[in-house]
Amino acid sequence: MEIMFSEYSESLFDDQESRDLDRRTIENTGISGSHLMGFAALSVYQRYRKRILKSDSVFILCGNGNNGGDGLALAFFLLQEGKESKVFLKEGLLSEESSYYKNLLLRSGGKILNLESDPLLFEGENVFIVDALLGTGFQPPIREPYESVFEKIKEQKRRSPKRTFVLSLDVVSGFSEESILPFQVDALAEIGMKKWRNRFLPSEIGKSFHRIGFPTSQKKDFDPDVKIKKTLWKRIPDSSLKEVLKREENSHKYKNGSLLLIGGSQGMSGAALSSLFAFHELGGGISLLLSPSEKTIRSVLKKDPSLMVDKIGEASEILSRSFVKKASVFLFGPGLKPEECPVVDLPKDKYCVLDAGALKVYGEKILHEKVILTPHTGELETLLNGKIRNVKDGISRTSEYARSTNVHVLWKRHSSFLICPNGDLFFWERTEPKLAVMGTGDLLAGILAFFLARNFSIPAATQLSFSLLTNAAERSKGFPTASGIRKLLQKGEK
C-alpha cells in the first residue's frame, strides 16, 4: 500500500504568507472578508460554547486590526445566544469587515468600551477572557495600551488561575517564536491556516483548528511564486506503517535493504548495535558493520554470529569492498569517536546518514543531496561554529549551512526540523516524553537508514521514522530504555 504523505502533512504559513493567503482567497474565490470573519467567529463559538455559556462573565479584548474584528464578530454571535460580553476595543481605524461587525453589535444592543480609557476590571467567579488584540501584523516591541492590558490578564490569572480561562484567537497577542509568552493562555483557536509562530507555543496550551475556507493544501499549488515551503508533519498511524514494513513474498536480502554501518568505537559498541538491530528488526535484509574496535567486533559476533562485521581498515579501501559497492545506504557515526571516523568520498548514488561521531568529520565538506546530517542542538552549534540564540536564529543559520554544503540537516530537539538544501523545511511538532532517554538517537539513525534503504525520499523516510519511533514509545509501559522501545517497533497498534 502506498502512503499518501499529503494526508499526513499540512502547510505552515508565516505572518506575511498568512496575510497574503487571506487577501488572495478573497480575490480569487469571491468569499468576502466579512463572511470569513463570521465563519471564524461561529466556528470558535461552537468549539468553546459550553465553557463560554457556563462563565459568569465574558471579556472580549479587541485590537483595531482584523484579529479584533474576529472578536467583535464573536461578541455579536454571543449576543444572539443571550450571552452578553464586555467588549473593549482599541481606538483607531477599522477595516471594512471589522466595522461591519462593530456596527452589527451596536445595532443589536451590545456595548463597546474603550480599551485605552475605560477601566478593565475582571469581575465574576468564573471569568472567560478572549484575546483578540494583536494578529499576524504585530511587530515587537509590545507597546501601550497592550502592555498594560497584558499585565491585567497576568494579574487575573495569578489571582484566580483555575477560574479564569484565557482564549487567544488565531495567535497569542505579542508572542513570536523567539519570545516568551506575554501572559498565560489556556487555549488557542487557530483560524483558517496553520501559523508558523503557533508551533512554538508551550505544549500545555490547548489548540483547536478552525477551517473556514482557505485553500491551504500546499502553498506551491496555491501560489506558484512561492519558492520555499514549510510543512507540518502529522504522525502516520500504525495501520499504514504496517503496510510499509511488509516484505514482498519473492523479495531477496538486497531488495529488503542493504546497509554499511561504520561505528562502535571501544566502549561505545551499544550505540552501533542499537542502530544495526533497529535496521534488521524492521526488515532490513543485509548489513556490514565496520568498527575500529576488536572488542566491538567480538561483542557483535557474540550477540549474533550471522552478522557481517569487520575492522574498518584503510579508508582508501572501504569503497572498493564488494559489499560496499552494492550497499544502498551508508550510516556513519553511531558510537564512533571522531578521530576514528574514516573519510571517504560519499557516492552520489547512495543515501548517507551522518550521525554522532561522523558529524564533525564531514561537517565542513560540500557533499550531495542524498546526505542527511542528524545533529542534536549541541552538535549543530559545533557545525555552525557558534551558539544558537533561539529557534529562528537556528533555522536561519542551518538553512544557509544546508544550502552551502548541499545536504539535508535533521535538527533533533524536543520538536525537530528537517532543513533541505533548497530551503524547504519540515517540522515534527509532536513530543513524546518517553523518548527523552539515552539511546533513542541511535534508534532513529537505524530506523532512518532502513526507510532510506527502501528507497523513500529523505523527507518521507524522516517522517516515517519519527512516526514509528513515537508510536512504539507510546505503546511502552512506564519509561523504558531505548532497547525496550526498539523491541516494540514492529508490535503494531495497542
Side-chain angles (χ1 to χ4, degrees), residues 159-388:
R159 186 168 59 245
S160 184
K162 293 183 179 180
R163 294 186 177 275
T164 301
F165 190 90
V166 180
L167 170 68
S168 289
L169 299 187
D170 206 27
V171 297
V172 176
S173 293
F175 174 79
S176 62
E177 59 264 38
E178 65 266 27
S179 70
I180 61 173
L181 276 178
F183 52 91
Q184 187 179 341
V185 176
D186 297 286
L188 168 75
E190 197 167 25
I191 298 168
M193 66 204 81
K194 294 287 182 76
K195 311 294 189 303
W196 172 248
R197 71 158 83 176
N198 290 340
R199 313 283 61 86
F200 304 98
L201 289 168
S203 58
E204 61 267 21
I205 295 177
K207 294 192 188 83
S208 59
F209 183 55
H210 304 264
R211 299 187 184 278
I212 60 171
F214 290 100
T216 59
S217 57
Q218 285 293 331
K219 282 186 283 186
K220 287 182 178 178
D221 295 338
F222 178 74
D223 185 353
D225 294 332
V226 172
K227 305 300 182 186
I228 295 173
K229 66 177 182 181
K230 295 185 284 294
T231 301
L232 174 66
W233 276 326
K234 300 178 185 176
R235 183 164 48 140
I236 298 171
D238 277 322
S239 56
S240 296
L241 291 169
K242 278 183 178 180
E243 295 298 319
V244 172
L245 296 174
K246 283 182 179 178
R247 285 188 176 188
E248 296 180 11
E249 290 185 7
N250 62 346
S251 65
H252 53 80
K253 56 191 176 185
Y254 279 97
K255 189 172 183 179
N256 289 318
S258 49
L259 170 68
L260 169 66
L261 195 159
I262 298 182
S265 295
Q266 186 160 333
M268 301 161 66
S269 62
L273 284 171
S274 186
S275 297
L276 189 64
F277 288 157
F279 173 81
H280 281 294
E281 288 170 1
L282 289 173
I286 187 169
S287 66
L288 169 64
L289 169 62
L290 297 181
S291 169
S293 167
E294 290 282 1
K295 189 172 181 179
T296 295
I297 293 172
R298 291 194 298 272
S299 175
V300 172
L301 292 175
K302 185 176 180 180
K303 286 182 178 292
D304 190 339
S306 69
L307 292 172
M308 292 198 300
V309 59
D310 200 356
K311 288 276 286 185
I312 291 176
E314 294 295 325
S316 59
E317 298 176 359
I318 290 175
L319 296 182
S320 62
R321 289 176 177 249
S322 58
F323 174 82
V324 172
K325 290 178 181 179
K326 292 186 286 185
S328 51
V329 175
F330 290 178
L331 169 55
F332 292 5
L336 186 66
K337 296 176 182 177
E339 61 270 22
E340 294 181 320
C341 180
V343 179
V344 301
D345 291 328
L346 300 177
K348 292 185 177 180
D349 63 334
K350 299 181 189 294
Y351 284 115
C352 305
V353 183
L354 302 179
D355 186 51
L359 290 169
K360 188 174 181 181
V361 175
Y362 286 87
E364 296 183 0
K365 295 182 177 296
I366 297 175
L367 301 170
H368 58 80
E369 289 188 356
K370 283 196 167 185
V371 176
I372 176 171
L373 278 60
T374 61
H376 56 62
T377 298
E379 292 166 335
L380 182 59
E381 289 177 334
T382 299
L383 292 174
L384 299 178
N385 297 312
K387 294 288 290 183
I388 295 172

Side-chain angles (χ1 to χ4, degrees), residues 412-445:
K412 297 182 297 189
R413 50 195 299 280
H414 60 276
S415 51
S416 298
F417 303 98
L418 176 66
I419 299 167
C420 306
N422 69 351
D424 286 354
L425 185 147
F426 297 86
F427 184 38
W428 181 261
E429 183 180 27
R430 185 178 179 84
T431 57
E432 171 50 62
K434 293 179 182 180
L435 293 175
V437 62
M438 180 176 67
T440 52
D442 304 315
L443 280 184
L444 180 64

Side-chain angles (χ1 to χ4, degrees), residues 8-25:
Y8 301 106
S9 63
E10 290 190 70
S11 292
L12 292 172
F13 297 83
D14 61 31
D15 291 345
Q16 184 59 54
E17 290 168 341
S18 298
R19 295 192 294 273
D20 289 345
L21 183 57
D22 197 333
R23 175 178 53 80
R24 285 173 181 264
T25 300

Side-chain angles (χ1 to χ4, degrees), residues 25-174:
T25 300
I26 294 170
E27 291 175 353
N28 297 340
T29 66
I31 302 174
S32 70
S34 58
H35 277 111
L36 291 173
M37 199 171 277
F39 296 159
L42 280 172
S43 180
V44 171
Y45 171 64
Q46 290 297 329
R47 172 64 176 78
Y48 296 95
R49 178 178 179 274
K50 289 184 180 179
R51 185 178 284 273
I52 290 173
L53 295 181
K54 285 181 181 179
S55 299
D56 298 316
S57 56
V58 178
F59 293 81
I60 302 181
L61 313 179
C62 304
N64 59 342
N66 277 353
N67 194 248
D70 291 335
L72 292 169
L74 178 60
F76 166 71
F77 290 118
L78 283 178
L79 196 59
Q80 309 314 303
E81 284 279 318
K83 187 70 173 180
E84 188 169 1
S85 55
K86 289 193 174 182
V87 180
F88 288 79
L89 175 64
K90 183 183 180 296
E91 289 182 344
L93 292 175
L94 299 178
S95 68
E96 181 180 344
E97 295 84 4
S98 296
S99 295
Y100 174 78
Y101 283 103
K102 175 187 175 182
N103 293 331
L104 268 184
L105 178 61
L106 292 173
R107 286 199 298 267
S108 301
K111 297 178 181 178
I112 298 177
L113 301 170
N114 190 303
L115 186 71
E116 294 158 288
S117 59
D118 288 320
L120 176 56
L121 301 173
F122 297 113
E123 302 163 333
E125 186 175 359
N126 293 294
V127 177
F128 193 102
I129 301 173
V130 177
D131 158 35
L133 292 162
L134 296 168
T136 56
F138 165 73
Q139 294 293 327
I142 298 168
R143 298 182 174 87
E144 293 293 349
Y146 301 112
E147 191 170 21
S148 295
V149 173
F150 294 171
E151 285 300 319
K152 290 177 180 177
I153 297 173
K154 284 195 287 187
E155 177 57 33
Q156 173 65 21
K157 286 294 286 184
R158 282 194 294 265
R159 186 168 59 245
S160 184
K162 293 183 179 180
R163 294 186 177 275
T164 301
F165 190 90
V166 180
L167 170 68
S168 289
L169 299 187
D170 206 27
V171 297
V172 176
S173 293

